[in-house]
């Protein structure tokens, strides 16, 4: 018979962060409240930015994502760079065979998405996109009720997520490689797929400000015949 000590210590997860922006700062604040996790390294393309963040938490600054991923004191990686740089951070983590959590959207094109997923599967690496909305207790409860057929099969969903932000207050949202569909609409689309299943048809209309979509209305027809309206 095997005997396990009741006071067995849970190993600490040593997290490396790629990126030093707003989401990286939020992750640092969250990890400070987790006894079984600590941040050991941070990398940034912004000169001196990693040094500033690492000083307060006794972590190591790194020049590149590859340098961070290769470190022996990094068990898992969080990618919080600009959207256009997500894929390079993910691929660095996958090459080092370390699980990776990345801010949404994890890729900007279908081809790059397929490349990243294939690389993660080939390497056997856990890849997670940070759609926090899907992890909320209320969301999980509703998904469980639908999957267990406790409320029957839903046939219509309306999802509205929007509030005005200025370019000065949220410059990343107005960047040509982001916009409201990738930054906000992704929540509604992901939720619709979890609730109503695979999508067979999609129609979208929106308003543009230069190269950026600033509002959108999306209609999804699911393979089940259900409809989703996402604004």
């Amino acid at each position: 018979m095997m005997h396990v000590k009741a006071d067995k210590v849970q190993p600490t997860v040593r997290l490396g962060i790629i990126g030093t922006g707003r989401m990286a700062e939020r992750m640092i604040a969250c990890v400070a409240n987790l006894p079984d996790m600590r941040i050991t390294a941070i990398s940034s393309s912004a000169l001196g930015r990693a040094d500033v963040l690492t000083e307060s938490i006794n972590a190591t600054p790194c020049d590149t994502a590859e340098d961070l991923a290769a470190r022996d004191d990094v068990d898992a990686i969080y990618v919080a760079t600009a959207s256009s740089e997500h894929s390079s951070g993910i691929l660095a983590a996958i090459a080092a065979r370390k699980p990776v959590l990345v801010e949404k959207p994890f890729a900007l094109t279908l081809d790059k998405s397929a490349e990243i997923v294939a690389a993660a599967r080939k390497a056997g690496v856990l890849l997670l996109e940070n759609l926090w909305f899907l992890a909320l207790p209320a969301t999980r409860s509703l998904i469980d009720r639908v999957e267990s057929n406790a409320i029957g099969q839903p046939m219509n969903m309306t999802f509205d997520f929007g509030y005005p932000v200025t370019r000065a207050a949220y410059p990343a949202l107005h960047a040509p490689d982001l916009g409201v569909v990738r930054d906000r609409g992704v929540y509604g689309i992901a939720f619709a797929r979890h609730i109503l299943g695979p999508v067979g048809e999609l129609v979208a209309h929106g308003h543009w400000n230069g190269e950026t979509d600033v509002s959108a209305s999306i209609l999804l027809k699911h393979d089940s015949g259900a409809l989703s309206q996402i604004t």
Side-chain angles (χ1 to χ4, degrees):
M1 178 180 295
M2 180 180 295
H3 296 277
V4 179
K5 292 183 178 180
D7 61 348
K8 184 177 180 180
V9 178
Q10 177 73 19
T12 297
V13 176
R14 300 169 298 178
L15 183 68
I17 297 179
I18 300 174
T20 53
R22 179 169 53 92
M23 297 310 298
E25 291 181 343
R26 289 187 177 183
M27 179 62 80
I28 291 171
C30 288
V31 171
N33 296 301
L34 300 176
D36 299 328
M37 179 177 288
R38 66 185 178 93
I39 297 167
T40 53
I42 299 176
S43 72
S44 175
S45 58
L47 184 63
R49 180 66 175 160
D51 296 305
V52 172
L53 290 186
T54 53
E55 283 179 1
S56 62
I57 58 173
N58 194 29
T60 302
C62 299
D63 292 331
T64 68
E66 290 76 15
D67 291 342
L68 181 144
R71 293 184 62 87
D72 292 335
D73 61 351
V74 170
D75 302 315
I77 294 172
Y78 169 57
V79 178
T81 52
S83 298
S84 58
E85 300 173 9
H86 284 176
S87 59
S88 59
I90 297 170
L91 292 173
I94 291 174
R97 284 179 162 70
K98 294 179 179 178
V100 55
L101 170 69
V102 59
E103 281 301 317
K104 51 77 184 167
F106 82 95
L108 297 180
T109 67
L110 180 60
D111 288 343
K112 182 58 69 173
S113 299
E115 175 191 343
I116 290 171
V117 170
R121 286 175 173 167
K122 182 177 181 180
V125 169
L126 177 65
L127 167 63
L128 296 172
E129 185 178 32
N130 192 20
L131 287 172
W132 56 268
F133 172 77
L134 296 178
L136 294 177
T139 306
R140 294 307 316 167
S141 176
L142 178 57
I143 291 174
D144 290 343
R145 293 179 70 188
V146 170
E147 291 179 346
S148 66
N149 202 35
I151 58 175
Q153 176 60 48
M155 294 304 295
N156 190 68
M157 186 197 84
T158 301
F159 189 102
D160 185 357
F161 177 26
Y163 51 90
V165 293
T166 64
R167 185 183 296 271
Y170 202 147
L173 179 61
H174 293 269
D177 61 359
L178 196 57
V180 295
V181 173
R182 288 184 173 123
D183 192 68
R184 309 291 168 83
V186 63
Y187 291 112
I189 294 170
F191 186 54
R193 293 185 70 252
H194 274 75
I195 295 292
L196 302 176
V199 177
E201 299 178 23
L202 180 153
V203 177
H205 296 278
H207 296 95
W208 293 74
N209 181 1
E211 298 180 327
T212 306
D213 50 306
V214 296
S215 68
S217 181
I218 303 166
L219 175 64
L220 305 177
K221 183 176 182 181
H222 299 262
D223 291 347
S224 64
L227 298 175
S228 301
Q229 298 89 36
I230 300 160
T231 304

